Amino acid sequence: MTRFRVFQLRLLASGALLLLVFGVVRRLWYPAAYFAISGAYTQYLVLAAVVMVVGPVLSAFVYKPGKKGLTFDLWVLAGVELLAVMVAGFLLFQRQPHFAVFAVDRFEAVSRAEVDTSKLQATLDSTRPGHAPRLVYAKLPDDPEVHSRLIDETVFYGMADIDRRPEFWEPYTNGIPVIKKAALPLDDLLQGNDVQRRTVASWLSATESVATDYIYLPLRGRAGDATIILHADTGFPVATLAIDPW
C-alpha cells in the first residue's frame, strides 16, 4: 500500500466522522440560525482542520511499509483524532443554546453553562421542546428598589443582566403581551437592505405566507445576531432567519 492510498483511506474515514459530527451539531444542538450566531461554525471548522491534519496528513506522513511500530503509530494518530472529536463535541454540547430568553426588546440564545441552574424554576429547567431552545420570559422587576439594585449590579459590578439571571425568568406565556408589544412588523424587513428583503421574501414564498401575519425581534448569540419571526396573533416563534435584524 502506498502513502497516497493511506491518505485516501484516512481521508474517507475522517470525512465520514466529520459529516456525522456535523449532522448532530447542526440538526440537534444548533438548529436553524443558532448554528451561525452561537459560534458553532467556527468551532467546527477548527475541529475539521485538526482532524484532517491528524488523520489523513500525519497518517500518510508516518506510513512506510515495513516500518517498525507502524501499527502503533497509526493507532495513536487514530486515538488523537477521536480524542479531538470527543473534546470538541463535549464543548459544543455544553455551549448549545438551551434557552431563547426574551429580555426587554430582544431574544438571547443562552446555554445552561451561562446560568446558575440552581435558581431555575422546575418548569423552566426541563428538556428542550424538540431540538429548539426552550422559550423563556425575563421580566424586569416591578419593585423600584430591586430594579435600581439590578442596574447597579449590571453596570457597576459587572454582573449578568436579566437574560442570564434565572431568578428573573418566568414561563414564556406570561410575557407574550410584552413580547408582542416590543416586536416589529415583518413588513419592515421587506423594506430593508437587499439581504433582508431576499431572505424574508424567500421564506414567505416557501411557507406560502403573508408578511402581515408575522412580527419579528432580534435574536442575539455569542458570535452574531439573527432574526426570530413570531406569529402576530399567538406571539410564538415560527422561524429563525440568519439575517441581521438591525
Side-chain angles (χ1 to χ4, degrees):
M1 186 180 295
T2 64
R3 284 185 172 180
F4 181 68
R5 183 57 177 166
V6 170
F7 177 83
Q8 287 180 312
L9 293 175
R10 294 293 287 113
L11 183 64
L12 287 174
S14 297
L17 181 61
L18 287 172
L19 283 175
L20 175 62
V21 173
F22 181 80
V24 172
V25 171
R26 188 70 178 86
R27 293 290 183 179
L28 304 184
W29 298 346
Y30 297 84
Y34 291 99
F35 184 70
I37 67 172
S38 298
Y41 177 72
T42 301
Q43 296 174 54
Y44 180 80
L45 288 182
V46 172
L47 170 63
V50 171
V51 167
M52 285 303 177
V53 170
V54 174
V57 176
L58 290 185
S59 293
F61 179 78
V62 303
Y63 183 80
K64 183 179 180 180
K67 176 185 175 182
K68 185 178 180 180
L70 176 62
T71 302
F72 176 78
D73 291 344
L74 293 176
W75 274 110
V76 168
L77 289 176
V80 171
E81 183 178 348
L82 287 175
L83 180 62
V85 170
M86 291 172 63
V87 171
F90 175 77
L91 293 175
L92 286 165
F93 178 80
Q94 288 289 98
R95 296 171 181 173
Q96 66 178 302
H98 193 89
F99 305 100
V101 183
F102 173 82
V104 185
D105 60 355
R106 68 198 182 280
F107 281 88
E108 293 275 349
V110 180
S111 69
R112 285 178 59 85
E114 295 178 88
V115 301
D116 183 354
T117 54
S118 66
K119 297 180 179 179
L120 269 171
Q121 300 177 38
T123 54
L124 301 178
D125 190 24
S126 55
T127 57
R128 301 192 310 180
H131 301 298
R134 175 161 293 281
L135 299 172
V136 175
Y137 168 53
K139 182 182 179 182
L140 285 169
D142 296 320
D143 188 325
E145 183 177 338
V146 177
H147 196 166
S148 178
R149 186 166 63 247
L150 172 65
I151 294 174
D152 289 343
E153 290 173 347
T154 55
V155 175
F156 299 110
Y157 298 102
M159 294 178 64
D161 209 339
I162 58 173
D163 51 63
R164 284 166 174 78
R165 300 272 292 273
E167 60 266 36
F168 296 103
W169 291 5
E170 295 185 4
Y172 183 78
T173 51
N174 290 5
I176 286 179
V178 177
I179 294 166
K180 290 171 65 175
K181 186 177 180 180
L184 299 170
L186 188 59
D187 271 322
D188 287 3
L189 290 180
L190 289 174
Q191 309 303 319
N193 59 47
D194 289 342
V195 174
Q196 291 173 334
R197 290 198 302 269
R198 288 198 305 269
T199 305
V200 173
S202 176
W203 178 79
L204 289 171
S205 176
T207 57
E208 299 182 346
S209 306
V210 292
T212 52
D213 289 339
Y214 302 99
I215 51 182
Y216 79 94
L217 281 166
L219 170 64
R220 297 182 59 187
R222 285 191 301 269
D225 298 334
T227 299
I228 188 164
I229 299 177
L230 313 134
H231 197 281
D233 292 332
T234 66
F236 276 87
V238 294
T240 54
L241 303 180
I243 53 174
D244 193 326
W246 309 105

